[in-house]
Amino acid sequence: MKHFYWALPAALLLPACVTINIYFPAAAAEKAADRIIDDVWQLQDKKAAPAAPAGETPAVQPAP
Amino acid sequence: MKNIIIVFSLMMSMLLSLSAAHAAADIEINTPAISAIKGSMQSRHAQLAPFYSSGAVGFSRDGLVAVRDAAAVPLAQRQALNNLVAAENKDRNALYAEIANGNQHPEWEPEIRATFAKRWADKAQGGWWVQDGSGWVKK
């Protein structure tokens, strides 16, 4: 009967390992996407240009 | 004694899942492969931008670009446009896969794609077309 309890830590640790794989950093991914899109569309340069009908300027610009 | 083991293992697994969540809080995008794809997309953007404005090309919900209204483009230019769209989508697919692989999580590709799809649409200029859940919408 006592042997049964030694299986318990393994059973509990397994979901913890799965957590590592399924966890997706959504906020970081969004920031990364914004940085790439700004680069591809050169939104930083376009801010100076008159043709910028987009009402909102890019909110997050952590220029390195 | 048995209870102590149970409680201990419970606490351990909670600690482990917590640290796992904190360990993966950043996304790496400064790899040579990603920079190369980004550069290729950046130089193509000048060619694609007029098609975005005319509505010929829109941003699909799967994070790609699609020919939305071929009639907006003269017949003679359509093949060039198709090539342009195909090249852009090849880069985009590679970009999403490369970000997932570069962060040691190839299984994140669909989520990265979905994140990009949302951000392309959010950042699209007024007058450009984006695809939402129900269809094409002009911003």
Side-chain angles (χ1 to χ4, degrees), chain A residues 6-36:
Chain A
W6 287 109
L8 208 68
L12 287 167
L13 283 170
L14 206 68
C17 294
V18 173
T19 308
I20 298 170
N21 283 327
I22 60 167
Y23 177 74
F24 177 68
E30 197 159 300
K31 263 184 223 158
D34 282 0
R35 257 180 294 163
I36 288 176

Side-chain angles (χ1 to χ4, degrees), chain A residues 1-2 5-6 8-9 12-13 16-17 19-26 28-30 32-43 46 51 53-54 56 58 61, chain B residues 2 5-6 9-10 13 16-17 20-21 24-27 29 34 38 41-42 45 52 59 95 99 105 107-108 111-112 115-116 118-120 122-126 128:
Chain A
M1 187 61 191
K2 194 173 181 172
Y5 287 103
W6 287 109
L8 208 68
L12 287 167
L13 283 170
C17 294
T19 308
I20 298 170
N21 283 327
I22 60 167
Y23 177 74
F24 177 68
E30 197 159 300
D34 282 0
R35 257 180 294 163
I36 288 176
I37 293 169
D38 286 352
D39 279 356
V40 170
W41 285 354
Q42 290 168 301
L43 292 178
K46 266 194 180 166
E56 43 170 358
Q61 297 297 345
Chain B
K2 283 169 189 169
I5 292 172
I6 294 169
S9 48
L10 250 170
S13 58
L16 225 110
S17 47
D26 215 355
I27 292 268
I29 53 168
I34 293 170
K38 210 167 68 175
M41 290 170 73
Q42 196 177 327
H45 178 63
Y52 297 149
F59 300 90
L95 176 70
I99 294 173
H105 283 281
E107 78 280 4
W108 283 353
E111 282 145 306
I112 287 165
T115 305
F116 267 87
K118 182 179 172 295
R119 296 310 292 157
W120 291 119
D122 287 352
K123 283 173 164 272
Q125 288 178 20
W128 291 4

Side-chain angles (χ1 to χ4, degrees), chain B residues 29-134:
Chain B
I29 53 168
N30 294 319
T31 72
I34 293 170
S35 297
I37 299 166
K38 210 167 68 175
S40 154
M41 290 170 73
Q42 196 177 327
S43 52
R44 192 181 301 107
H45 178 63
Q47 292 170 267
L48 276 167
F51 296 117
Y52 297 149
S53 301
S54 72
V57 176
F59 300 90
S60 65
R61 65 179 144 245
D62 54 0
L64 301 177
V65 294
V67 177
R68 210 201 108 253
D69 181 15
V73 180
L75 199 60
Q77 279 183 36
R78 280 183 203 164
Q79 192 50 50
L81 173 64
N82 286 335
N83 294 342
L84 207 58
V85 166
E88 173 72 7
N89 284 337
K90 195 176 164 221
D91 274 352
R92 285 178 175 229
N93 285 325
L95 176 70
Y96 306 148
E98 205 53 60
I99 294 173
N101 291 335
N103 288 276
Q104 284 78 48
H105 283 281
E107 78 280 4
W108 283 353
E109 195 267 352
E111 282 145 306
I112 287 165
R113 177 183 296 272
T115 305
F116 267 87
K118 182 179 172 295
R119 296 310 292 157
W120 291 119
D122 287 352
K123 283 173 164 272
Q125 288 178 20
W128 291 4
W129 288 78
V130 301
Q131 195 181 37
D132 68 6
S134 50

